[in-house]
Amino acid sequence: RRKIKGKPMLEALPELKGQGFNTILDSVYETGEPYVGIDIPIKLARDENVPPEERYFNFSYQPMYDDDKHIYSILVFGYEVTEQVISRNKNQESQQLREKELEEKVLQRTLELSTANESLQQKNLEIAISKYNKRFLTEFSERFSAYKPHLEFFNSLVKYIADLTALEYVFVGKVVATDSGQLMIRTISFTALGKLAENIQFLPGSGFYEQVSPDAHYDFPSQLMEVIREHPAFDVLTGFIGFPLFDAKGKVQGMLAVMHSKEIEDPESVASVLRIVAGRAEIELERIHYEEQLEQTNISLEEKITELGKKNKELQSFAYVSSHDLQEPLRKIHSFALRILDKENDNLSETGKDY
């Protein structure tokens, strides 16, 4: 350990030279204004036998006044916060890295969206000629080649499918979890009898999430209630064609479906239309998911910054109050020491006077 008692600051800690602390000390002495430093980097050695290293400190310089209101001393109060600063910096770097990764994922999904739009023309050529195909090849390309955001896209999509197929119900929905952890399908956009209707939610049939695969579609009216159940609007339905929507990891994230009170004519053509549309809907759902993650990350970072600001204000207040509360007992000690020297000077030895 170093012996610093009774030594001037720059003699006891010579590595502080050139770091500006003597200037701050002079300023406090000349102006009488207290100084509070938060997370200040200091080149300081932990022992006189080791080289200096960068450490962080919170400290305050508080002027001390005698009875004549003259500054006779500077009270320095401080403590090391190196671990806290390093930890906070690492958290911020980690947060920035996660944000960058999310931004890159959003960009990647946007590029995939552009690629998917360009490939629609090629996929359209692979659809068998039917009563829907001629309309679909031209109208779908024209209406969905330009990007539309979120709800506008899904509303246009289900409305277009409803107009094209003349089927009574069309919806696109995403998987949500209830408070109890049960998975349900909640529609993002829903048409009933050709018009946009209020969104609904329902339970898929038993094993739906485990049994579906990216290449599967469902077209079995006799087993309709095994796929969609527990919603009164579905009691009168007979025809159903649906596609599960998958995310980039192959996990079910939603469903695209058409339903009808009668058996669906030419189900293969309807399924061909839905198969192409499902791919486009998957990309949009995935992109929205990444945008929501990025937004939540930004909110979390803003909350942490606000909390850090509050902590810094509390620290400044604590440092000021602590130094102010220490002034009074030190002033008393100083006054009594002066009085002893004044009244008992002749009775004290040189050592006593020094003490």
Side-chain angles (χ1 to χ4, degrees):
R1 294 183 177 273
R2 302 197 206 186
K3 295 180 180 180
I4 63 175
K5 182 178 180 181
K7 295 182 180 180
M9 180 177 68
L10 295 183
E11 181 181 337
L13 303 171
E15 62 266 37
L16 293 182
K17 292 180 181 179
Q19 297 192 52
F21 295 100
N22 56 329
T23 303
I24 298 174
L25 195 63
D26 293 340
S27 176
V28 174
Y29 187 83
E30 292 172 1
T31 65
E33 293 290 332
Y35 177 86
V36 177
I38 305 297
D39 296 346
I40 302 301
I42 300 175
K43 292 286 187 179
L44 191 64
R46 297 186 181 273
D47 189 274
E48 59 185 358
N49 296 321
V50 299
E53 60 181 345
E54 187 173 83
R55 297 151 64 186
Y56 294 84
F57 290 83
N58 292 339
F59 64 92
S60 66
Y61 284 175
Q62 182 70 34
M64 307 296 296
Y65 296 87
D66 59 20
D67 293 338
D68 295 327
K69 297 184 178 179
H70 294 141
I71 297 175
Y72 67 87
S73 179
I74 303 295
L75 173 66
V76 179
F77 174 82
Y79 58 96
E80 186 173 358
V81 292
T82 302
E83 291 184 0
Q84 296 92 315
V85 171
I86 292 176
S87 177
R88 183 167 64 249
N89 290 342
K90 286 182 178 179
N91 288 337
Q92 290 177 349
E93 291 174 359
S94 177
Q95 193 78 11
Q96 291 171 355
L97 180 61
R98 287 196 295 270
E99 286 184 2
K100 183 178 179 180
E101 290 175 351
L102 286 174
E103 290 174 350
E104 290 175 351
K105 288 181 179 179
V106 171
L107 178 60
Q108 179 62 31
R109 299 308 291 174
T110 301
L111 292 175
E112 291 176 2
L113 172 63
S114 176
T115 302
N117 281 331
E118 292 174 0
S119 67
L120 282 178
Q121 292 288 346
Q122 180 62 34
K123 289 183 178 180
N124 287 337
L125 296 177
E126 298 173 1
I127 300 175
I129 300 300
S130 70
K131 65 179 181 179
Y132 296 115
N133 289 350
K134 291 182 180 179
R135 291 177 57 193
F136 179 77
L137 288 172
T138 56
E139 293 180 9
F140 187 81
S141 297
E142 291 175 358
R143 294 177 65 170
F144 296 101
S145 58
Y147 172 71
K148 297 179 181 179
H150 299 192
L151 185 59
E152 181 184 354
F153 166 76
F154 289 117
N155 283 345
S156 298
L157 189 67
V158 296
K159 188 68 169 60
Y160 171 66
I161 294 174
D163 292 343
L164 178 66
T165 63
L167 298 176
E168 294 168 324
Y169 300 96
V170 182
F171 72 81
V172 59
K174 65 177 181 178
V175 176
V176 297
T178 64
D179 294 338
S180 62
Q182 188 176 31
L183 297 180
M184 303 187 70
I185 299 292
R186 178 180 297 161
T187 62
I188 302 173
S189 188
F190 181 59
T191 61
L193 304 178
K195 297 181 179 180
L196 291 173
E198 183 177 352
N199 283 308
I200 61 174
Q201 64 181 28
F202 58 88
L203 285 170
S206 176
F208 171 78
Y209 298 107
E210 294 78 13
Q211 295 173 11
V212 297
S213 66
D215 297 326
H217 81 272
Y218 292 83
D219 176 22
F220 29 73
S222 62
Q223 300 178 16
L224 173 62
M225 301 312 294
E226 291 298 319
V227 177
I228 299 180
R229 58 188 176 88
E230 294 191 10
H231 196 285
F234 301 148
D235 289 343
V236 298
L237 300 179
T238 301
F240 171 83
I241 300 176
F243 278 83
L245 305 177
F246 297 88
D247 61 19
K249 297 180 180 179
K251 181 180 179 182
V252 177
Q253 63 176 336
M255 176 189 289
L256 174 68
V258 295
M259 302 175 291
H260 204 59
S261 59
K262 299 178 181 179
E263 185 176 344
I264 296 176
E265 297 180 5
D266 196 2
E268 290 302 324
S269 294
V270 176
S272 296
V273 171
L274 293 186
R275 184 178 290 108
I276 294 176
V277 174
R280 175 65 173 81
E282 286 176 342
I283 294 174
E284 185 67 14
L285 280 177
E286 185 82 349
R287 193 182 63 79
I288 292 172
H289 173 69
Y290 283 124
E291 285 186 352
E292 290 174 347
Q293 279 190 318
L294 181 59
E295 181 180 1
Q296 187 60 41
T297 299
N298 288 334
I299 292 174
S300 177
L301 180 59
E302 290 176 0
E303 291 174 349
K304 290 181 179 178
I305 292 174
T306 301
E307 181 181 356
L308 179 60
K310 292 180 180 179
K311 294 295 183 183
N312 284 338
K313 289 182 179 179
E314 291 175 1
L315 178 60
Q316 292 176 11
S317 176
F318 171 75
Y320 176 77
V321 171
S322 297
S323 60
H324 182 271
D325 288 349
L326 287 173
Q327 285 186 50
E328 187 60 26
L330 291 174
R331 188 182 294 111
K332 292 294 184 183
I333 293 170
H334 182 256
S335 297
F336 275 104
L338 291 177
R339 176 163 294 188
I340 290 171
L341 286 174
D342 183 43
K343 300 296 184 181
E344 303 294 334
N345 186 65
D346 295 337
N347 298 326
L348 293 173
S349 66
E350 290 304 317
T351 301
K353 292 176 183 180
D354 183 57
Y355 287 161

